[in-house]
């Protein structure tokens, strides 16, 4: 998992080393594509979960006969592959961005997506916070978002995770889709409904990054933080769980931004946190996992044990469709202590064989899925959002199954299933494009089976961010819970 953490950092924050414009011949493109196709069709267990075989066959044929004619370099192939793999509807399947020899200057505005529209998240360039971006260089906001969706993988049909990634990485994604420019023509509508156009110069990657702390959607003023950089570092940027209290309401807020931490250390920190909660005789506990993109399942399990009402389950089954790794010569193993062969032999060789898959219905973590004897017995609320993913979504689903109130927005992690076990990185030989793909399909344990397929974990109380909340810098989701507690 530490290896994966490092790779995910490279994917999202360091796309800046190797040029994406080296020419590729048609034969080279076809060879790289064929390797990817073989991996998907021979080893990937969820290929037909959301997209039927006839549609996949059509997509593959179209690529080989038509699309290939338009692909001339690494960046062309990258864009085409991301569009293709988006049909898997899998947030764990990531096409790593081509890296660049030199750091490009990028579109500089920091944006937030609300109701599928782009709004300014800062007041830079004299554009008021909460102004709607109508168009950039004549391309309207709806079309911009539509063209960038393919770069942001998500489970099923939920767009929340996609939107959170697009708004966070808008500059670099715009560059990959449209290329770089010195000047961008921006048409925008202010909160007072005045429409203006403005020429905005590109900015360096570093200078844009320094302004991230000024985002109104980080709610620094809501928390009365004078030093925004320090606030962001100690809240959104903090991976370890942390706790703060609202003494006037006898309430504690536990923030868990990640489960991607050393298991033993994480458990010790949680133990200390819940000891403090008990000492303060807290009656209400708010757990914020809106930034939690997952990590170790055991951390999610251990965290939930402190609020569980009874024993719990995380899955019905897991499955694989291959006993050997396809295109192994192009693969890089990420799971310590195993090769795919030894992994298969240990867990699946003697599992139930069902058509073209091996199905495992036991869970080695089951003994840990019990309420802690130190569990919190007061009222619990959980904050969830589009970035809540993988093991973060598992935690949300544990809560859903036991009737613990979820507040916020639909998670990016799937309700019924995810493909998140045994990750491998493939490197395509001609383009050098890297692909992170998992080979284990996980069918989650759910109690409510009326939820539509392809959804994430749904909040019990949906509180989307509004433009007015963005302008005011108000955390309306946390506000809602505080008001509920206050009214009691």
């Amino acid at each position: 998992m530490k290896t994966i953490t490092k790779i995910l950092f490279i994917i999202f924050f360091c796309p800046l080393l190797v040029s994406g414009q080296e020419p590729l011949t048609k034969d080279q493109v076809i060879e790289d594509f064929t390797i990817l196709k073989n991996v998907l069709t021979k080893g990937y267990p969820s290929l037909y979960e959301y997209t039927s075989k006839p549609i996949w066959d059509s997509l593959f044929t179209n690529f080989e006969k038509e699309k290939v004619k338009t692909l001339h370099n690494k960046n062309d192939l990258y864009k085409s592959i991301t569009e293709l793999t988006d049909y898997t509807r899998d947030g764990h399947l990531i096409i790593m961005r081509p890296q660049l020899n030199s750091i490009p200057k990028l579109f500089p505005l920091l944006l937030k997506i609300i109701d599928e529209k782009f709004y300014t998240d800062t007041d830079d360039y004299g554009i008021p916070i909460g102004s709607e971006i109508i168009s950039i260089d004549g391309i309207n906001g709806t079309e911009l978002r539509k063209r960038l969706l393919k770069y942001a993988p998500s489970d099923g049909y939920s767009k929340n995770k996609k939107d959170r990634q697009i708004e966070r990485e808008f500059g670099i994604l715009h560059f990959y889709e449209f290329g770089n420019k010195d000047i961008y023509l921006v048409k925008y509508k202010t909160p007072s409904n005045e429409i203006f156009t403005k020429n905005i110069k590109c900015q360096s990657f570093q200078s844009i990054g320094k302004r991230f702390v000024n985002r109104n959607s980080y709610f620094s003023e809501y928390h009365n933080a004078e030093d925004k950089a320090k606030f962001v570092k100690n809240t959104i940027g903090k991976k370890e769980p942390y706790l703060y209290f609202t003494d006037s309401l006898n309430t504690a807020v536990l923030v868990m931004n990640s489960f991607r931490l050393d298991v033993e250390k994480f458990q010790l920190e949680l133990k200390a946190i819940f000891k403090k909660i008990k000492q303060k005789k807290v009656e209400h506990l708010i757990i914020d996992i809106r930034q939690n993109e997952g990590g170790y399942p055991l951390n999610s399990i251990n965290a939930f044990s402190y609020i569980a009402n009874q024993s719990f389950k995380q899955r019905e089954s897991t499955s694989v469709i291959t006993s050997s790794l396809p295109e192994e010569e192009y693969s890089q193993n990420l799971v310590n202590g195993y090769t795919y062969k030894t992994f298969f032999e240990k867990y699946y060789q003697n599992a139930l064989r069902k058509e073209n898959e091996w199905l495992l219905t036991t869970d080695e973590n089951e003994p840990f899925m019990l309420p802690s004897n130190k569990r919190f017995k007061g009222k619990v609320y959980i904050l969830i959002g589009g970035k809540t993913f993988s093991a973060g979504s598992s935690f949300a689903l544990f809560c859903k199954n036991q009737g613990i109130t979820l507040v916020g927005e639909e998670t990016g992690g799937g309700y019924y299933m995810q493909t998140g076990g045994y990750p491998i990185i493939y490197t395509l030989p001609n383009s050098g494009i890297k692909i992170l793909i998992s080979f284990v399909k996980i069918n989650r344990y759910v109690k409510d089976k009326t939820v539509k397929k392809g959804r994430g974990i749904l909040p019990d109380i949906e509180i989307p961010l509004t433009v007015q909340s963005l302008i005011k810098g108000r955390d309306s989701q946390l506000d809602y819970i505080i008001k509920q507690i206050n009214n009691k």
Side-chain angles (χ1 to χ4, degrees), residues 135-179:
S135 66
I136 299 173
D137 295 330
I139 301 175
N140 68 51
T142 299
E143 179 65 18
L144 279 171
R145 177 177 172 274
K146 181 180 178 182
R147 290 181 64 169
L148 298 184
L149 283 171
K150 62 178 177 286
Y151 296 108
S154 182
D155 285 354
Y157 302 111
S158 172
K159 295 295 194 298
N160 284 343
K161 183 176 183 293
K162 287 177 172 285
D163 284 344
R164 299 294 79 80
Q165 183 177 337
I166 290 169
E167 65 193 20
R168 190 168 72 247
E169 303 172 12
F170 185 86
I172 190 66
L173 295 182
H174 189 278
F175 165 77
Y176 278 116
E177 183 66 17
F178 300 103

Side-chain angles (χ1 to χ4, degrees), residues 231-422:
F231 171 79
V232 171
K233 179 182 178 181
N234 293 330
T235 54
I236 292 171
K238 191 175 179 68
K239 297 303 179 186
E240 298 78 15
Y242 67 92
L243 184 70
Y244 63 92
F245 297 94
T246 303
D247 291 331
S248 61
L249 297 176
N250 205 10
T251 296
V253 181
L254 169 59
V255 181
M256 295 188 292
N257 287 333
S258 179
F259 290 132
R260 199 173 288 122
L261 301 163
D262 177 81
V263 172
E264 185 175 348
K265 182 181 177 183
F266 184 81
Q267 291 179 355
L268 287 173
E269 289 183 354
L270 275 186
K271 184 177 180 180
I273 282 172
F274 277 91
K275 184 177 180 180
K276 289 180 183 177
I277 290 172
K278 185 176 181 180
Q279 289 172 342
K280 292 276 284 187
K281 298 181 179 180
V282 166
E283 294 180 5
H284 308 277
L285 175 61
I286 303 169
I287 299 180
D288 187 347
I289 57 169
R290 287 175 291 181
Q291 304 296 322
N292 194 313
E293 296 181 279
Y296 291 106
L298 266 178
N299 284 338
S300 174
I301 290 167
N302 184 256
F304 185 70
S305 72
Y306 282 97
I307 60 171
N309 300 315
Q310 55 190 318
S311 61
F312 52 102
K313 291 178 65 174
Q314 64 174 338
R315 63 198 191 202
E316 293 280 6
S317 66
T318 65
S319 61
V320 299
I321 66 166
T322 182
S323 58
S324 60
L325 201 63
E327 303 289 354
E328 188 169 9
E329 63 181 295
Y330 305 108
S331 70
Q332 176 188 347
N333 188 58
L334 297 177
V335 181
N336 294 331
Y338 289 98
T339 62
Y340 184 84
K341 183 176 183 292
T342 59
F343 167 78
F344 177 84
E345 289 173 349
K346 178 175 180 179
Y347 292 102
Y348 291 96
Q349 186 164 268
N350 298 316
L352 175 66
R353 186 70 188 269
K354 186 179 178 182
E355 296 180 359
N356 67 331
E357 67 177 355
W358 287 264
L359 194 69
L360 186 68
T361 57
T362 58
D363 188 343
E364 63 182 357
N365 290 324
E366 189 172 347
F368 306 105
M369 288 182 275
L370 298 167
S372 168
N373 56 11
K374 304 290 185 182
R375 72 183 183 92
F376 177 74
K377 297 180 181 179
K379 176 66 175 177
V380 181
Y381 303 85
I382 312 295
L383 285 164
I384 60 173
K387 287 185 69 178
T388 310
F389 184 66
S390 196
S393 285
S394 294
F395 183 90
L397 185 54
F398 293 151
C399 297
K400 190 79 168 177
N401 284 336
Q402 293 203 3
I404 298 172
T405 304
L406 302 178
V407 177
E409 296 179 288
E410 180 179 0
T411 66
Y415 180 75
Y416 287 107
M417 60 83 65
Q418 69 172 22
T419 312
Y422 209 90

Side-chain angles (χ1 to χ4, degrees), residues 217-234:
S217 61
Y218 287 169
F219 308 126
S220 54
E221 292 184 14
Y222 173 87
H223 291 278
N224 300 313
E226 295 182 3
D227 187 332
K228 291 184 178 181
K230 183 177 180 181
F231 171 79
V232 171
K233 179 182 178 181
N234 293 330

Side-chain angles (χ1 to χ4, degrees), residues 26-90:
K26 179 181 177 181
D27 288 343
Q28 288 175 320
V29 170
I30 286 293
E31 182 182 8
D32 280 8
F33 167 76
T34 301
I35 291 168
L36 173 61
K37 178 183 175 181
N38 287 340
V39 172
L40 290 174
T41 56
K42 297 178 180 179
Y44 178 66
S46 306
L47 188 64
Y48 307 120
E49 189 69 32
Y50 297 104
T51 302
S52 69
K53 188 178 187 303
I55 292 177
W56 273 114
D57 290 344
S58 175
L59 290 168
F60 291 145
T61 299
N62 180 66
F63 188 102
E64 292 163 337
K65 292 186 176 181
E66 300 298 332
K67 199 78 173 180
V68 67
K69 300 174 185 177
T70 68
L71 309 180
H72 306 293
N73 56 52
K74 181 190 296 186
N75 199 52
D76 290 343
L77 182 58
Y78 163 69
K79 290 167 66 174
S80 184
I81 286 176
T82 56
E83 186 174 7
L84 178 71
T85 56
D86 194 43
Y87 283 88
T88 65
R89 314 289 183 231
D90 179 6

